[in-house]
mmCIF file of all heavy atoms in Angstrom:
data_model
loop_
_atom_site.group_PDB
_atom_site.id
_atom_site.type_symbol
_atom_site.label_atom_id
_atom_site.label_comp_id
_atom_site.label_asym_id
_atom_site.label_seq_id
_atom_site.Cartn_x
_atom_site.Cartn_y
_atom_site.Cartn_z
ATOM 1 N N THR A 101 -5.987 41.077 288.790
ATOM 2 C CA THR A 101 -6.560 40.131 289.756
ATOM 3 C C THR A 101 -6.146 40.484 291.185
ATOM 4 O O THR A 101 -6.428 39.739 292.114
ATOM 5 C CB THR A 101 -6.107 38.687 289.452
ATOM 6 O OG1 THR A 101 -4.692 38.579 289.649
ATOM 7 C CG2 THR A 101 -6.445 38.295 288.027
ATOM 8 N N TRP A 102 -5.459 41.615 291.356
ATOM 9 C CA TRP A 102 -4.978 41.995 292.686
ATOM 10 C C TRP A 102 -6.134 42.205 293.664
ATOM 11 O O TRP A 102 -7.204 42.705 293.298
ATOM 12 C CB TRP A 102 -4.212 43.319 292.616
ATOM 13 C CG TRP A 102 -2.913 43.256 291.867
ATOM 14 C CD1 TRP A 102 -2.198 42.157 291.521
ATOM 15 C CD2 TRP A 102 -2.168 44.383 291.382
ATOM 16 N NE1 TRP A 102 -1.054 42.511 290.865
ATOM 17 C CE2 TRP A 102 -1.012 43.870 290.753
ATOM 18 C CE3 TRP A 102 -2.367 45.761 291.425
ATOM 19 C CZ2 TRP A 102 -0.057 44.708 290.175
ATOM 20 C CZ3 TRP A 102 -1.418 46.588 290.848
ATOM 21 C CH2 TRP A 102 -0.282 46.063 290.225
ATOM 22 N N THR A 103 -5.897 41.861 294.923
ATOM 23 C CA THR A 103 -6.804 42.208 296.025
ATOM 24 C C THR A 103 -5.943 42.667 297.195
ATOM 25 O O THR A 103 -4.789 42.265 297.322
ATOM 26 C CB THR A 103 -7.659 41.015 296.480
ATOM 27 O OG1 THR A 103 -6.798 40.006 297.055
ATOM 28 C CG2 THR A 103 -8.444 40.412 295.317
ATOM 29 N N ASP A 104 -6.505 43.501 298.048
ATOM 30 C CA ASP A 104 -5.759 43.950 299.222
ATOM 31 C C ASP A 104 -5.373 42.754 300.094
ATOM 32 O O ASP A 104 -4.265 42.699 300.640
ATOM 33 C CB ASP A 104 -6.595 44.935 300.039
ATOM 34 C CG ASP A 104 -6.709 46.296 299.368
ATOM 35 O OD1 ASP A 104 -6.027 46.513 298.346
ATOM 36 O OD2 ASP A 104 -7.482 47.139 299.872
ATOM 37 N N ALA A 105 -6.289 41.801 300.219
ATOM 38 C CA ALA A 105 -6.026 40.640 301.067
ATOM 39 C C ALA A 105 -4.847 39.825 300.545
ATOM 40 O O ALA A 105 -4.017 39.345 301.326
ATOM 41 C CB ALA A 105 -7.276 39.763 301.156
ATOM 42 N N SER A 106 -4.757 39.678 299.219
ATOM 43 C CA SER A 106 -3.650 38.884 298.668
ATOM 44 C C SER A 106 -2.316 39.581 298.879
ATOM 45 O O SER A 106 -1.310 38.944 299.192
ATOM 46 C CB SER A 106 -3.880 38.600 297.179
ATOM 47 O OG SER A 106 -3.797 39.780 296.412
ATOM 48 N N TRP A 107 -2.288 40.904 298.724
ATOM 49 C CA TRP A 107 -1.054 41.650 298.976
ATOM 50 C C TRP A 107 -0.678 41.576 300.453
ATOM 51 O O TRP A 107 0.488 41.350 300.794
ATOM 52 C CB TRP A 107 -1.216 43.108 298.547
ATOM 53 C CG TRP A 107 -1.048 43.323 297.074
ATOM 54 C CD1 TRP A 107 -2.042 43.438 296.140
ATOM 55 C CD2 TRP A 107 0.183 43.430 296.353
ATOM 56 N NE1 TRP A 107 -1.498 43.613 294.881
ATOM 57 C CE2 TRP A 107 -0.137 43.611 294.980
ATOM 58 C CE3 TRP A 107 1.524 43.394 296.725
ATOM 59 C CZ2 TRP A 107 0.823 43.758 293.993
ATOM 60 C CZ3 TRP A 107 2.503 43.540 295.734
ATOM 61 C CH2 TRP A 107 2.141 43.724 294.398
ATOM 62 N N ASN A 108 -1.665 41.756 301.332
ATOM 63 C CA ASN A 108 -1.378 41.751 302.763
ATOM 64 C C ASN A 108 -0.874 40.386 303.231
ATOM 65 O O ASN A 108 0.055 40.302 304.048
ATOM 66 C CB ASN A 108 -2.632 42.141 303.548
ATOM 67 C CG ASN A 108 -3.009 43.597 303.360
ATOM 68 O OD1 ASN A 108 -2.172 44.419 303.005
ATOM 69 N ND2 ASN A 108 -4.273 43.919 303.580
ATOM 70 N N TRP A 109 -1.485 39.323 302.728
ATOM 71 C CA TRP A 109 -1.067 37.976 303.120
ATOM 72 C C TRP A 109 0.341 37.669 302.607
ATOM 73 O O TRP A 109 1.220 37.262 303.368
ATOM 74 C CB TRP A 109 -2.068 36.959 302.575
ATOM 75 C CG TRP A 109 -1.710 35.523 302.841
ATOM 76 C CD1 TRP A 109 -1.238 34.990 304.015
ATOM 77 C CD2 TRP A 109 -1.807 34.438 301.919
ATOM 78 N NE1 TRP A 109 -1.048 33.632 303.870
ATOM 79 C CE2 TRP A 109 -1.384 33.265 302.602
ATOM 80 C CE3 TRP A 109 -2.226 34.336 300.592
ATOM 81 C CZ2 TRP A 109 -1.362 32.017 301.985
ATOM 82 C CZ3 TRP A 109 -2.206 33.086 299.983
ATOM 83 C CH2 TRP A 109 -1.773 31.935 300.672
ATOM 84 N N THR A 110 0.555 37.886 301.313
ATOM 85 C CA THR A 110 1.839 37.526 300.707
ATOM 86 C C THR A 110 2.986 38.364 301.245
ATOM 87 O O THR A 110 4.050 37.840 301.597
ATOM 88 C CB THR A 110 1.758 37.663 299.177
ATOM 89 O OG1 THR A 110 0.623 36.927 298.693
ATOM 90 C CG2 THR A 110 3.011 37.127 298.517
ATOM 91 N N LEU A 111 2.791 39.674 301.325
ATOM 92 C CA LEU A 111 3.843 40.526 301.870
ATOM 93 C C LEU A 111 4.030 40.269 303.362
ATOM 94 O O LEU A 111 5.156 40.341 303.878
ATOM 95 C CB LEU A 111 3.517 41.998 301.630
ATOM 96 C CG LEU A 111 3.522 42.474 300.167
ATOM 97 C CD1 LEU A 111 3.181 43.957 300.099
ATOM 98 C CD2 LEU A 111 4.865 42.215 299.506
ATOM 99 N N GLY A 112 2.947 39.956 304.052
ATOM 100 C CA GLY A 112 3.038 39.688 305.485
ATOM 101 C C GLY A 112 3.914 38.496 305.793
ATOM 102 O O GLY A 112 4.784 38.553 306.674
ATOM 103 N N VAL A 113 3.714 37.401 305.057
ATOM 104 C CA VAL A 113 4.490 36.183 305.307
ATOM 105 C C VAL A 113 5.885 36.279 304.689
ATOM 106 O O VAL A 113 6.889 35.951 305.335
ATOM 107 C CB VAL A 113 3.750 34.950 304.752
ATOM 108 C CG1 VAL A 113 4.609 33.692 304.929
ATOM 109 C CG2 VAL A 113 2.406 34.772 305.445
ATOM 110 N N ASN A 114 5.960 36.706 303.441
ATOM 111 C CA ASN A 114 7.222 36.633 302.699
ATOM 112 C C ASN A 114 8.206 37.747 303.030
ATOM 113 O O ASN A 114 9.422 37.517 303.017
ATOM 114 C CB ASN A 114 6.959 36.658 301.195
ATOM 115 C CG ASN A 114 6.228 35.427 300.712
ATOM 116 O OD1 ASN A 114 5.915 34.518 301.477
ATOM 117 N ND2 ASN A 114 5.933 35.385 299.424
ATOM 118 N N LEU A 115 7.688 38.944 303.302
ATOM 119 C CA LEU A 115 8.577 40.091 303.502
ATOM 120 C C LEU A 115 8.557 40.628 304.929
ATOM 121 O O LEU A 115 9.596 40.740 305.571
ATOM 122 C CB LEU A 115 8.233 41.202 302.511
ATOM 123 C CG LEU A 115 9.114 42.452 302.567
ATOM 124 C CD1 LEU A 115 10.593 42.110 302.383
ATOM 125 C CD2 LEU A 115 8.677 43.474 301.514
ATOM 126 N N MET A 116 7.369 40.957 305.436
ATOM 127 C CA MET A 116 7.309 41.543 306.776
ATOM 128 C C MET A 116 7.825 40.577 307.836
ATOM 129 O O MET A 116 8.508 40.991 308.784
ATOM 130 C CB MET A 116 5.877 41.985 307.101
ATOM 131 C CG MET A 116 5.403 43.183 306.289
ATOM 132 S SD MET A 116 6.563 44.591 306.279
ATOM 133 C CE MET A 116 6.736 44.940 308.027
ATOM 134 N N ALA A 117 7.533 39.287 307.685
ATOM 135 C CA ALA A 117 8.028 38.308 308.661
ATOM 136 C C ALA A 117 9.557 38.238 308.630
ATOM 137 O O ALA A 117 10.202 38.010 309.658
ATOM 138 C CB ALA A 117 7.428 36.934 308.390
ATOM 139 N N THR A 118 10.139 38.433 307.445
ATOM 140 C CA THR A 118 11.595 38.472 307.328
ATOM 141 C C THR A 118 12.151 39.702 308.032
ATOM 142 O O THR A 118 13.138 39.626 308.780
ATOM 143 C CB THR A 118 12.008 38.476 305.847
ATOM 144 O OG1 THR A 118 11.544 37.269 305.228
ATOM 145 C CG2 THR A 118 13.509 38.577 305.682
ATOM 146 N N ILE A 119 11.516 40.837 307.818
ATOM 147 C CA ILE A 119 11.931 42.079 308.482
ATOM 148 C C ILE A 119 11.821 41.927 309.999
ATOM 149 O O ILE A 119 12.758 42.240 310.747
ATOM 150 C CB ILE A 119 11.067 43.255 307.992
ATOM 151 C CG1 ILE A 119 11.337 43.534 306.504
ATOM 152 C CG2 ILE A 119 11.308 44.509 308.834
ATOM 153 C CD1 ILE A 119 10.345 44.476 305.858
ATOM 154 N N TRP A 120 10.674 41.435 310.454
ATOM 155 C CA TRP A 120 10.477 41.274 311.900
ATOM 156 C C TRP A 120 11.434 40.240 312.482
ATOM 157 O O TRP A 120 11.939 40.417 313.589
ATOM 158 C CB TRP A 120 9.029 40.867 312.178
ATOM 159 C CG TRP A 120 8.035 41.942 311.880
ATOM 160 C CD1 TRP A 120 8.244 43.297 311.962
ATOM 161 C CD2 TRP A 120 6.686 41.774 311.443
ATOM 162 N NE1 TRP A 120 7.094 43.968 311.599
ATOM 163 C CE2 TRP A 120 6.126 43.070 311.281
ATOM 164 C CE3 TRP A 120 5.888 40.666 311.184
ATOM 165 C CZ2 TRP A 120 4.804 43.261 310.880
ATOM 166 C CZ3 TRP A 120 4.574 40.851 310.781
ATOM 167 C CH2 TRP A 120 4.043 42.139 310.624
#
Side-chain angles (χ1 to χ4, degrees):
T101 65
W102 292 344
T103 66
D104 287 353
S106 68
W107 279 98
N108 291 338
W109 177 44
T110 308
L111 293 180
V113 176
N114 294 359
L115 182 56
M116 291 310 303
T118 298
I119 294 168
W120 292 330

